[in-house]
Amino acid sequence: MAFQINSNTNSCALVFVLVSLVSGLASAQLSANFYASSCPNVQTLVRTATNQAVRNQPRQGASVLRLFFHDCFVNGCDGSILLDDVSGFTGEKTANPNRNSARGFEVIDTIKTRVEAACNATVSCADILALAARDSVVALGGPSWTVLLGRRDARTASQSAANSQIPAPTSSLSTLLSMFSSKGLNARDMTALSGGHTIGQAQCTNFRGHIYNDSNINAAFRTTRQANCPVSGGDTNLAPLDIQTPTQFGNNYYQNLVNQRGLLHSDQELFNGGSTDAQVRSYSTNNAAFRSDFAAAMIKMGNISPLTGTNGEIRTNCRLRN
């Protein structure tokens, strides 16, 4: 953005207000009934296909939720993560946080095909992903929330932003707080959203450092995890992020953290003598509070810099620009 700002304090304040208003306008354009007339059955179509996918393979629920998170953290919730690399265009799928680990693309493809058959060129891939993330959580026993709709799809993607803006499993608490804050999400949001790790699995390469090098880990848990994650080799071997209920959404994740059974270094950082300890302990004993805060934080995350109005496009194939 190239414009000049007068050094006068009042002028700076005015510019800040205008920028804030413009930023807020994009979120304000999202609404729960955006497709009420143009595609009234979209939510049923998405929910039915998502439920089928999760029944066939429960891990898909966690995979779709992760896709939405990784989408929203890179230039907003715009469906950019769904774009394939093609000649002259490099997307986000091959960025370090996504390469050989991002899953669920076929679920979104199936949903998109069904939605296109019912409402051609009407519903964005970004909105489909937002709905599928919610429905995946519900399918695994988690809370529901009202998904605001009206996002449009990006015509571009950023591998470099994906590499730098998605928190790594080796992140410290201060890094996590900073990265979430840069997206408008506070410490409570971050702690609640991290509870998405109550479902799904992680590859050995992402937790090896924690189970071999960190001291804030339960000894028996360390031994268990080392059994399928050797010091070298076995990089893609999987372990559940939540050892008790990897396919059931609940607050066991936080109970594990209190007992030093977090799988990732970044997980255990949430309960390691820092500012989020109290929130983790609260969620570990109050599942209702976790569910409520998680739903609220998902709505907030879904409002990160959406493309609306005439920005972007409505892709007919989520993998390719029109």
Side-chain angles (χ1 to χ4, degrees):
M1 187 179 295
F3 57 85
Q4 293 183 332
I5 300 178
N6 191 299
S7 60
N8 180 276
T9 302
N10 290 334
S11 296
C12 287
L14 178 59
V15 169
F16 175 78
V17 169
L18 290 173
V19 171
S20 298
L21 287 172
V22 171
S23 299
L25 186 60
S27 295
Q29 290 175 351
L30 300 181
S31 71
N33 58 358
F34 187 83
Y35 298 109
S37 299
S38 59
C39 194
N41 294 327
V42 62
Q43 300 224 26
T44 299
L45 291 168
V46 175
R47 182 170 59 252
T48 300
T50 302
N51 286 344
Q52 289 174 345
V54 174
R55 275 199 305 271
N56 291 338
Q57 186 185 113
R59 188 185 171 202
Q60 290 285 20
S63 297
V64 170
L65 176 61
R66 184 172 184 258
L67 278 185
F68 185 54
F69 172 74
H70 283 207
D71 184 40
C72 290
F73 260 59
V74 182
N75 299 327
C77 311
D78 59 4
S80 58
I81 193 173
L82 305 174
L83 288 168
D84 283 344
D85 289 358
V86 294
S87 179
F89 176 84
T90 301
E92 296 163 18
K93 289 183 177 180
T94 50
N96 292 332
N98 300 323
R99 186 173 58 250
N100 300 321
S101 68
R103 303 172 71 253
F105 297 107
E106 295 80 7
V107 176
I108 303 303
D109 292 339
T110 297
I111 298 172
K112 181 61 172 175
T113 298
R114 296 184 186 182
V115 172
E116 282 296 305
C119 320
N120 179 249
T122 302
V123 181
S124 69
C125 299
D127 275 348
I128 286 174
L129 181 54
L131 287 168
R134 187 270 312 274
D135 293 340
S136 291
V137 169
V138 173
L140 294 175
S144 186
W145 58 90
T146 299
V147 177
L148 300 180
L149 302 167
R151 301 170 191 80
R152 288 169 64 85
D153 296 320
R155 290 186 50 77
T156 186
S158 177
Q159 186 183 81
S160 61
N163 281 327
S164 63
Q165 296 178 18
I166 296 173
T170 55
S171 297
S172 66
L173 178 60
S174 61
T175 295
L176 291 170
L177 291 169
S178 175
M179 294 182 82
F180 275 75
S181 177
S182 71
K183 305 300 178 184
L185 300 166
N186 60 32
R188 191 180 192 90
D189 299 324
M190 186 272 288
T191 307
L193 288 170
S194 296
H197 283 180
T198 183
I199 52 177
Q201 303 187 63
Q203 295 181 359
C204 166
T205 187
N206 289 322
F207 61 86
R208 178 183 284 120
H210 179 51
I211 64 173
Y212 284 101
N213 303 326
D214 291 347
S215 59
N216 59 339
I217 181 171
N218 176 276
F221 180 73
R222 182 200 301 275
T223 300
T224 298
R225 290 282 67 92
Q226 288 179 351
N228 77 322
C229 183
V231 175
S232 62
D235 285 0
T236 59
N237 292 353
L238 297 172
L241 287 156
D242 174 349
I243 195 169
Q244 292 108 317
T245 54
T247 59
Q248 185 68 30
F249 197 97
N251 67 335
N252 280 334
Y253 167 79
Y254 298 101
Q255 295 171 13
N256 290 336
L257 297 186
V258 170
N259 291 302
Q260 294 191 318
R261 291 186 173 94
L263 182 63
L264 306 178
H265 175 86
S266 56
D267 286 330
Q268 198 57 58
E269 279 288 284
L270 301 184
F271 192 83
N272 192 35
S275 60
T276 55
D277 278 19
Q279 197 61 51
V280 168
R281 194 177 291 280
S282 173
Y283 289 155
S284 75
T285 60
N286 191 336
N287 190 40
F290 162 50
R291 290 168 67 91
S292 176
D293 284 0
F294 181 85
M298 285 296 292
I299 293 172
K300 195 171 176 181
M301 185 175 75
N303 285 340
I304 298 175
S305 306
L307 297 173
T308 58
T310 57
N311 294 317
E313 64 182 13
I314 304 297
R315 282 187 232 134
T316 54
N317 180 340
C318 291
R319 294 174 178 266
L320 302 170
R321 297 175 291 181
N322 292 343

